[in-house]
């Protein structure tokens, strides 16, 4: 009799563990009174969580919680809701929500007119959903201790190999801690995240959605298009790479070189820039030539505290990382000047940046969803060697930029050791869904050529290039916001969208040739 009771309990327990993955699973939205990302009272919004199974097929062990913030339209006859998915992978929805009041014109002078996002909200709900493993989801796959490694590495005077070993050991301990809490990292991949989009839509009562995805969100959007096309009325991909790449850093050096070439061409086309800096390709080669004998010693002295002094080496990889970080809306005007100064041996800005990162790392805690990022990347496009980022015919500077990123994922993928998605995850999507792609002319990660590759396989698509844009155009470029609002209002307008505002970005665009300007 006792054996029968134990067997019955086992069967019931197994049934409970599996129920989330069965067809009977129905996602529910559970609102919360105090939102994890509070917004001004002028904005009508809902905040809460949607529970989803960790595995949609097979046996599900636990329910995951995804944080949701929905901005509610005032329309009595609302249109299809706009879902906004972020990049990284692992970016927190706190980032875009922090600027939502500005994007909606809250507190602005009414004479300024209706903003593009306010136009969208007039007739469409706007939904920000966390991706599994990110901040405001449960579990949150973070490793706080990673934040202090830069200072530890400096304090112990670790070389590159020893620094990588420290990173790997710290990461391994973090992975083990999450696994002890019941986390199965195989549950965190792009196929599951795509299914989560459907679950959240169902929980919120939507049959169809308009999907916007930036950076990795654009890659995730292609998974949704492939696996769940019926839920999509239209798609916007902002900074896309084709699914057919098999390494996260594939062609990364070529992408960086493409951005460098564009800067060089734009400088040559502007008399003031050309006169000040000449051929920027010569300067780019000169940057790398400085490191032909190896890293360069540098000492940082805090001007306000004579007791704070740091001595370390600057390598070509440090310069590449610094320069890549300057390809953004605020620094694009300075790119030729920055390249020229680096070529002349002025490494002060690189040294200052590295010293600041080291000092800020002392006792610091990371809040990034690092393990979520590694789970996503390593389950679909794992990195096994730094050379996977290389491309032929590119500068040494571009090679260094690609390999610097590759090293992080090579180490991370060796530690997290997740199962690989099927080969179908590397097949480019082809769906007849109205799809608008945004591309930045100065994008170091997803250049226009990559966006065009995605578009070439989508029969109902269009690429709009923002010549002075970097990686991701919304919400920093007003023209992109206007086009987004126009397309959301009427996805059938894809071919007739007026993109003239993108072309005008070049009108009057000038590089700064001196810091005295």
């Amino acid at each position: 009799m006792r054996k029968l009771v134990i067997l019955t309990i086992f069967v019931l327990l197994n049934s409970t563990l599996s129920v989330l993955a069965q067809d009977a699973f129905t996602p529910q939205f559970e609102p919360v009174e105090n939102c994890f990302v509070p917004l001004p009272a002028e904005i009508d919004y809902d905040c809460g969580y949607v529970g989803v199974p960790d595995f949609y097929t097979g046996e599900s062990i636990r329910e995951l919680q995804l944080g949701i913030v929905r901005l509610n339209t005032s329309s009595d006859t609302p249109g299809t809701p706009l879902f906004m998915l972020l990049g990284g992978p692992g970016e927190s929805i706190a980032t875009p929500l922090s600027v939502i009041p500005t994007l909606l014109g809250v507190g602005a002078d009414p004479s300024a007119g209706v903003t593009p996002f306010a136009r969208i909200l007039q007739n469409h709900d706007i939904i920000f959903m966390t991706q599994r493993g990110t901040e405001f989801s449960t579990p949150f796959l973070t490793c706080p201790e990673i934040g202090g490694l830069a200072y530890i590495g400096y304090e112990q005077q670790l070389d590159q190999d020893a620094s990588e070993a420290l990173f790997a050991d710290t990461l391994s301990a973090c992975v083990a801690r999450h696994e002890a809490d019941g986390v199965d990292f195989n549950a965190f991949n792009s196929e599951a995240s795509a299914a989560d989009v459907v679950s959240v839509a169902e929980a919120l009562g939507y049959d169809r959605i308009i999907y916007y995805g930036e950076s990795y969100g654009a890659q995730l959007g292609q998974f949704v298009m492939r696996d769940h096309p019926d839920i999509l009325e239209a798609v916007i991909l902002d900074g896309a790479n084709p699914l057919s790449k098999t390494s996260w850093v594939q062609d990364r050096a070529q992408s960086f070189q493409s951005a460098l070439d564009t800067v060089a061409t734009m400088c040559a086309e502007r008399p003031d820039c050309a006169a000040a800096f000449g051929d920027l390709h010569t300067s780019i080669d000169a940057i790398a030539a400085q490191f032909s004998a190896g890293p360069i010693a540098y000492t940082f002295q805090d001007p306000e505290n004579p007791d704070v002094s740091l001595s370390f080496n600057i390598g070509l990889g440090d310069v590449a990382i610094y320069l890549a970080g300057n390809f953004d809306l605020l620094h694009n005007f300075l790119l030729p000047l920055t390249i020229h100064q680096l070529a002349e041996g002025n490494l002060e800005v690189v040294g200052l940046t590295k010293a600041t990162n080291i000092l800020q790392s002392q006792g610091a805690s990371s809040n990034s969803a690092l393990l979520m990022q590694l789970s996503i990347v390593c389950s679909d496009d794992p990195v096994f060697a730094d050379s996977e980022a290389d491309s032929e015919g590119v500068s040494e500077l571009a090679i260094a930029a690609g390999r610097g990123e590759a090293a992080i994922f090579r180490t991370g993928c060796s530690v997290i050791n997740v199962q690989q998605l099927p080969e179908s995850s590397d097949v480019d999507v082809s769906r007849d869904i109205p799809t608008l792609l945004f591309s930045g002319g100065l994008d170091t990660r997803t250049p226009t050529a990559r966006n065009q590759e995605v578009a070439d396989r989508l029969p109902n698509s269009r690429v709009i290039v923002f010549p002075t844009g970097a990686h991701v155009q919304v919400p920093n470029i007003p023209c992109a916001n206007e086009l987004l609002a126009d397309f959301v209002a009427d996805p059938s307008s894809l071919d007739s969208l007026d993109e003239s505002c993108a072309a005008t970005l070049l009108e009057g665009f000038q590089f700064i040739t001196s810091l005295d300007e």
Side-chain angles (χ1 to χ4, degrees), residues 365-390:
S365 177
S366 171
N367 195 42
S368 73
L370 176 61
L371 295 185
M372 176 273 190
Q373 182 182 59
L374 292 175
S375 297
I376 294 290
V377 169
C378 303
S379 62
D380 186 19
D381 301 315
V383 178
F384 300 106
D386 297 355
S387 59
E388 292 172 16
D390 294 356

Side-chain angles (χ1 to χ4, degrees), residues 62 139-141 175 177-188:
R62 65 192 298 182
F140 177 23
L141 301 184
V175 168
R177 186 171 66 248
H178 281 283
E179 288 178 336
D181 289 337
V183 171
D184 186 340
F185 289 100
N186 292 310
F188 299 85

Side-chain angles (χ1 to χ4, degrees), residues 281-291 342-344:
H281 286 109
T282 301
S283 296
I284 291 168
D285 292 337
I287 292 174
Q290 297 176 73
F291 298 92
L342 293 172
E344 290 194 329

Side-chain angles (χ1 to χ4, degrees), residues 271-349:
D272 288 350
C273 188
F277 306 124
D279 183 1
L280 281 183
H281 286 109
T282 301
S283 296
I284 291 168
D285 292 337
I287 292 174
Q290 297 176 73
F291 298 92
S292 59
I296 297 173
Y298 176 84
T299 298
F300 165 78
Q301 177 63 59
D302 189 334
E304 298 180 359
N305 188 346
D307 294 331
V308 178
S309 177
L310 303 180
S311 295
F312 49 80
N313 289 330
I314 295 176
L316 182 57
D318 296 314
V319 177
I321 291 171
Y322 171 78
L323 186 57
N326 279 264
F327 279 80
D328 60 34
L329 193 63
L330 296 178
H331 297 95
N332 284 345
F333 298 93
L334 289 165
L335 285 170
L337 176 61
T338 301
I339 292 170
H340 177 72
Q341 290 178 331
L342 293 172
E344 290 194 329
N346 183 354
L347 302 178
E348 189 66 27
V349 289

